[in-house]
Amino acid sequence: MQFEGKTVVVTGGAKGIGSACTRAFHKEGASVAVLDRDAGGIELADSLGARAIFIHCDVSREAEVSAAMSEVSSLLGGPDILVNNAGIQRYTTVTETTEEEWDLVMNVNLKSAFLCAKHAIPRMQERGAGVIVNISSVQAFISQKTVAPYVTSKTALLGLTRSIAVDYGPQIRCVAVCPGTVDTPMLRDAIQLSPDPEAVYQECMDMHLVKRIGTPEEVAALILLVAGPQGGFFTGQAIRIDGGLGITIAGSKREEF
Ligand SMILES: NC(=O)c1ccc[n+]([C@@H]2O[C@H](COP(=O)([O-])OP(=O)(O)OC[C@H]3O[C@@H](n4cnc5c(N)ncnc54)[C@H](O)[C@@H]3O)[C@@H](O)[C@H]2O)c1
């Protein structure tokens, strides 16, 4: 029960990594608030029972974020920990991307983290401490094709992470967690776009040195570690949890390379 007495806000907590993270914090004694625009979060909060609430919120809109943080404060106190997890993917190159698509990805993946931090930090300061975990991606370091807005947003999150850590330390720590491929609705939806989803799934597994994709629970475990009492020396950094994705030297024909 290492998070007893703490309030945790998880954006995009209705599904995937956010849902696993919400469950894990709750299991460790935290009060949890799921901020999501997907009403599936109601079911999750109900299934957890006491110490769990769902707030319908589009985290890319400041008025909604501000109202949600006030509600969290008055119902649960805090927050002490904010997990900026909500995210979307779009498959486009720069020349294919419309201005609307670019803005949408930036708003949901990047602006939301700025807005939630902006409205959480003063409340953390009142409590004397806080931790913000930004869910970036291994694609902040290596990139697949046709995901220009996503890669840009996830890379920019590392800058936001550094700025928050520098500006609000030592009371507030901020860490970016960068997963490789993880089995979530986002991944399942993405591979359904292919004519051969099974082959794409296999390809995803083969890309990782561990020859499988990650689970939301594995990412949640890292989030709890960096946010918890044993993670006090993590701040400002990006931590990869990626099964070795992308560290092989590519292009060589020689097996031993
Ligand atoms: N799944 C992966 O392979 C993978 C890899 C690296 C990074 N990530 C990142 O991890 C995070 C979670 O991904 P996931 O795979 O669990 O995704 P998911 O699609 O399964 O879940 C994302 C959640 O975010 C919510 N959301 C989206 N836009 C929102 C908005 N404007 N306001 C509030 N909620 C919103 C959705 O409703 C959903 O509940 C994302 O930031 C994603 O980019 C995922």
Side-chain angles (χ1 to χ4, degrees), residues 12 14-17 36-38 57-59 85-88 108 135-137 150 154 179-182 184-186:
K15 284 195 292 211
I17 293 169
D36 206 302
R37 59 178 185 195
D38 180 340
C57 179
D58 178 342
V59 288
N85 164 78
I88 55 170
V108 175
I135 309 305
S136 173
S137 167
Y150 183 82
K154 292 296 179 182
T181 314
V182 184
T184 67
M186 178 188 274

Side-chain angles (χ1 to χ4, degrees), residues 142 180-182 187 191 196-214 242-250 255:
I142 52 170
T181 314
V182 184
L187 176 73
I191 64 178
D196 189 353
E198 258 180 55
V200 177
Y201 194 83
Q202 185 62 48
E203 212 175 280
C204 285
M205 293 200 287
D206 292 343
M207 287 187 307
H208 297 76
L209 291 183
V210 296
K211 296 299 171 204
R212 65 175 179 86
I213 60 177
D242 60 10
L245 177 62
I247 63 166
T248 309
I249 295 173
E255 191 59 29

Side-chain angles (χ1 to χ4, degrees), residues 55-253:
I55 301 174
H56 190 274
C57 179
D58 178 342
V59 288
S60 66
R61 294 173 181 270
E62 183 158 22
E64 294 188 35
V65 169
S66 168
M69 288 295 173
S70 297
E71 198 175 337
V72 170
S73 281
S74 60
L75 293 177
L76 304 175
D80 305 285
I81 296 164
L82 164 66
V83 183
N84 282 317
N85 164 78
I88 55 170
Q89 175 65 289
R90 290 292 181 273
Y91 290 90
T92 53
T93 61
V94 163
T95 49
E96 291 159 0
T97 306
T98 64
E99 186 177 359
E100 289 71 27
E101 274 174 320
W102 180 268
D103 288 345
L104 179 68
V105 174
M106 290 300 152
N107 289 345
V108 175
N109 292 5
L110 179 62
K111 183 175 150 192
S112 68
F114 146 67
L115 290 175
C116 290
K118 177 180 170 181
H119 289 276
I121 285 169
R123 295 179 163 95
M124 292 174 172
Q125 287 172 321
E126 277 170 24
R127 311 258 272 198
V131 185
I132 298 174
V133 183
N134 293 325
I135 309 305
S136 173
S137 167
V138 74
Q139 295 215 48
F141 301 94
I142 52 170
S143 308
Q144 69 182 110
K145 283 179 174 254
T146 70
V147 288
Y150 183 82
V151 162
T152 307
S153 67
K154 292 296 179 182
T155 308
L157 266 179
L158 305 194
L160 179 67
T161 301
R162 214 163 40 240
S163 286
I164 293 171
V166 167
D167 288 339
Y168 300 101
Q171 289 85 6
I172 293 170
R173 295 188 294 110
C174 185
V175 183
V177 163
C178 304
T181 314
V182 184
D183 199 351
T184 67
M186 178 188 274
L187 176 73
R188 297 280 172 172
D189 293 347
I191 64 178
Q192 284 309 323
L193 299 173
S194 151
D196 189 353
E198 258 180 55
V200 177
Y201 194 83
Q202 185 62 48
E203 212 175 280
C204 285
M205 293 200 287
D206 292 343
M207 287 187 307
H208 297 76
L209 291 183
V210 296
K211 296 299 171 204
R212 65 175 179 86
I213 60 177
T215 66
E217 290 72 25
E218 286 173 311
V219 180
L222 176 60
I223 296 168
L224 265 70
L225 171 69
V226 301
Q230 309 217 12
F233 209 45
F234 287 110
T235 196
Q237 285 297 340
I239 322 285
R240 286 170 67 159
I241 174 164
D242 60 10
L245 177 62
I247 63 166
T248 309
I249 295 173
S252 170
K253 301 272 182 296

